[in-house]
Amino acid sequence: MKWKKIFWWAVGIGIAIQFVPYGHDHENPPVVAEPQWDSPQTRETFMRACGDCHSNETKWPWYSDIAPISWFVTHHVEEGREHFNVSMWGHQKKNKGDEAAEEVREGDMPLKSYLILHPEARLSKEEKARFIEGLIRTFGEEKDDD
């Protein structure tokens, strides 16, 4: 009887959180401007591996409509666009393109949690090396302040 009660409470909470007004607005603002990509291949790889969070061309998967997953996805897209958004190139005050190559080189991007549900974003060693070079040619590299 105890497990049945816990189950129905969990179902009730699961339904109730769907009404939280965060995570359901899947807005893709217009693309204002893009960087001058060094090649179409760099852009294609970027959009495949990074574009969902770092552009205004997010592909919102079905699970991004279900709380609490929708909260997680929306937060990552908002944060990604805030720090680095290729769709607002030259128009967004803070756009850390010069850090892109290092983030990929160090394995910090794409996020491991993103790769779980987006296997197309996984890059082979060769793809990763070409992509890093393309990012450097497109955005430059972060300068050390030492």
Side-chain angles (χ1 to χ4, degrees):
M1 191 66 163
K2 179 181 175 184
W3 292 108
K4 195 174 187 181
K5 194 173 190 177
I6 291 171
F7 171 79
W8 285 111
W9 269 103
V11 167
I13 290 169
I15 291 170
I17 65 173
Q18 301 312 308
F19 296 99
V20 172
Y22 178 73
H24 298 289
D25 180 20
H26 298 147
E27 182 183 351
N28 277 338
V31 174
V32 175
E34 284 196 22
Q36 186 171 350
W37 297 97
D38 78 305
S39 71
Q41 183 64 37
T42 300
R43 185 188 188 282
E44 185 279 323
T45 304
F46 182 91
M47 295 309 288
R48 177 168 51 101
C50 315
D52 279 340
C53 292
H54 295 287
S55 80
N56 291 349
E57 299 180 61
T58 303
K59 293 176 197 88
W60 298 96
W62 63 269
Y63 53 82
S64 66
D65 286 318
I66 302 168
I69 298 168
S70 62
W71 306 340
F72 180 75
V73 172
T74 298
H75 173 73
H76 274 106
V77 171
E78 289 173 350
E79 187 175 353
R81 287 177 178 172
E82 177 186 330
H83 291 286
F84 178 42
N85 186 343
V86 298
S87 298
M88 300 294 291
W89 203 253
H91 296 270
Q92 182 170 312
K93 199 174 200 179
K94 180 169 138 184
N95 221 339
K96 298 183 176 188
D98 61 339
E99 296 177 10
E102 188 64 23
E103 292 286 323
V104 174
R105 184 182 291 120
E106 295 293 323
D108 295 332
M109 288 288 159
L111 295 175
K112 305 282 185 268
S113 58
Y114 182 78
L115 293 172
I116 291 168
L117 294 171
H118 298 273
E120 72 279 3
R122 292 184 193 281
L123 304 176
S124 68
K125 275 184 153 180
E126 295 79 21
E127 280 181 305
K128 186 175 179 178
R130 280 193 310 271
F131 185 46
I132 290 168
E133 286 305 312
L135 291 172
I136 291 169
R137 286 192 300 271
T138 300
F139 304 116
E141 285 189 272
E142 186 175 26
K143 307 287 187 268
D144 287 333
D145 293 333
D146 298 336

